[in-house]
Amino acid sequence: MSKPISRCGTIAIVGRPNVGKSTLLNRIIGQKLSITSRKPQTTWQQILGVITVNNAQMVFVDTPGWQFRPKKQINRLMNRQIIAALDYVDVVVMVADAREWTLNDDKVCAVFREMSCRKILVFNKHDQISDKKKMLPLIADVQARYEFDEIVPASALQRDNVDLVIELVGEKLPRRPHQFPNDQITPHSERFLVSELIREQLIRGLGEELPYTVSVVIETFRETNAATEIHAEIWVEREGQKGIVIGAKGNRLKSMASAARMDIENLLQRKVYLRTWVKTKNKWTDDLDALNRLDLND
Ligand code: GDP
Ligand code: MG
């Protein structure tokens, strides 16, 4: 038998908030995520993970969430970053909610409409639809209006059709030698992953209460004999939001930080001391100095 063709390329997962992008990515990269680099990344454009399946090496890159209120400086900046990120990717995987297509989904489509990369649409959360036939008119409508190479109904949560997505992505990548050793999974900064785990718990704990205005900065990341010591600053936009994050008697922050600490221990496979502070910088999202400090603006 001849050797399988070597493929390699970059993939971005895009879509409006809450459609299941992170869940899908976690399912794709799954347990294979491992840390191989301690060098902090300097931009938000991160390599989230690399998997090699059937001799196709898939490099997943992060694009920060698309901002639908581009009035603020930070939101415009982030939208530009998405467009820049999409410029070099080989495959875009757009995630949408199988239950409803919104105007924001059209906005996401409009961003990469003119791009030459291959495009796959994942209609996620199809586990929430009992009669799958009900999805057909929506699929037909989207197919008629946009040029997707593939449209896949899936459930990231239940891992349904996730392998199909991996297979379809892999076969669309260009013929190229692999960029990473096949068993090396992610050249990722522990610091960044840790800040993401904290951010994840904040989003989980705060729900709709703090959209887009919370940010995590890792101030200290120190290995001691006994543990990894991490100090994290949580930045909010307004004084009033501090109380929301901290909660009555600090209970909300305590439980979010404790959940984050467990996730971090799981990730680093070490004992972790996590200390968190909530800080306010008025209108930091409109302040380019603060943006520079967050390495958004490389
Ligand atoms: P993101 O904002 O696009 O990254 O979305 P997340 O991955 O954070 O998911 C948002 C919410 O949708 C979470 O509560 C997930 O558990 C849930 N979710 C993600 N995928 C599925 C799915 O396939 N089915 C169902 N029922 N829920 C899902
Ligand atoms: Mg997400």
Side-chain angles (χ1 to χ4, degrees):
M1 251 180 66
S2 60
K3 240 179 120 200
I5 298 156
S6 170
R7 296 180 187 277
C8 182
T10 304
I11 302 108
I13 299 183
V14 303
R16 63 181 166 88
N18 249 342
V19 289
K21 298 180 294 297
S22 300
T23 310
L24 179 65
L25 182 71
N26 287 341
R27 288 291 186 276
I28 290 174
I29 298 173
Q31 298 307 323
K32 293 172 180 170
L33 188 86
S34 74
I35 318 299
T36 58
S37 158
R38 283 159 191 272
K39 198 168 137 271
Q41 308 266 343
T42 52
T43 128
W44 265 19
Q45 236 168 285
Q46 307 280 341
I47 292 178
L48 295 174
V50 182
I51 61 164
T52 306
V53 177
N54 299 332
N55 223 28
Q57 187 162 81
M58 300 164 221
V59 182
F60 287 88
V61 293
D62 187 24
T63 54
W66 184 260
Q67 304 298 307
F68 296 103
R69 295 171 299 173
K71 271 204 177 126
K72 287 186 176 171
Q73 179 89 297
I74 188 173
N75 292 350
R76 281 196 300 271
L77 194 64
M78 286 173 77
N79 285 357
R80 282 209 303 277
Q81 287 220 344
I82 292 181
I83 293 165
L86 292 177
D87 199 46
Y88 73 90
V89 303
D90 300 294
V91 177
V92 162
V93 175
M94 175 173 166
V95 182
D97 191 320
R99 293 168 297 184
E100 58 159 0
W101 184 268
T102 72
L103 201 60
N104 282 340
D105 292 305
D106 284 309
K107 286 185 189 170
V108 174
C109 285
V111 174
F112 59 85
R113 186 166 214 169
E114 307 300 323
M115 294 178 45
S116 55
C117 67
R118 311 293 296 271
K119 296 150 198 166
I120 297 171
L121 174 63
V122 173
F123 268 128
N124 193 33
K125 309 195 186 185
H126 85 153
D127 54 285
Q128 294 295 303
I129 298 175
S130 47
D131 182 4
K132 306 279 187 260
K133 272 193 252 127
K134 284 197 174 136
M135 291 170 62
L136 293 176
L138 175 58
I139 291 175
D141 176 56
V142 171
Q143 207 154 26
R145 288 193 296 135
Y146 299 105
E147 284 173 359
F148 284 103
D149 295 289
E150 317 274 355
I151 298 183
V152 188
S155 169
L157 201 63
Q158 301 188 347
R159 223 187 183 288
D160 196 14
N161 269 351
V162 172
D163 287 328
L164 177 62
V165 173
I166 294 172
E167 192 186 315
L168 293 171
V169 167
E171 67 183 34
K172 287 178 177 49
L173 295 178
R175 295 182 180 202
R176 251 187 231 147
H178 293 174
Q179 209 181 329
F180 300 98
N182 287 354
D183 58 350
Q184 180 183 330
I185 304 310
T186 174
H188 223 311
S189 131
E190 286 181 351
R191 233 179 150 103
F192 171 75
L193 287 171
V194 163
S195 73
E196 282 295 287
L197 289 176
I198 297 170
R199 211 162 63 95
E200 193 85 43
Q201 288 303 331
L202 290 170
I203 291 166
R204 227 175 264 276
L206 298 168
E208 293 293 301
E209 285 187 71
L210 264 190
Y212 304 131
T213 58
V214 65
S215 181
V216 178
V217 176
I218 305 298
E219 279 293 322
T220 304
F221 193 102
R222 194 164 40 215
E223 304 281 349
T224 66
N225 282 340
T228 302
E229 199 180 310
I230 299 167
H231 297 176
E233 286 179 2
I234 298 162
W235 285 24
V236 292
E237 206 175 14
R238 286 189 305 272
E239 199 59 36
Q241 293 170 327
K242 239 168 147 169
I244 295 173
V245 177
I246 295 168
K249 292 185 183 152
N251 281 336
R252 201 175 209 180
L253 181 60
K254 228 179 268 168
S255 75
M256 292 187 298
S258 149
R261 181 187 50 78
M262 287 190 269
D263 286 350
I264 297 165
E265 285 183 338
N266 205 12
L267 174 84
L268 303 179
Q269 295 290 304
R270 293 200 81 200
K271 189 162 173 49
V272 167
Y273 290 119
L274 174 65
R275 294 187 63 188
T276 50
W277 287 268
V278 183
K279 298 196 169 178
T280 313
K281 181 155 200 276
N282 277 342
K283 292 209 184 300
W284 71 262
T285 51
D286 243 355
D287 180 339
L288 272 176
D289 277 353
L291 290 181
N292 281 324
R293 189 155 174 253
L294 289 169
D295 279 342
L296 268 170
N297 198 17
D298 65 327

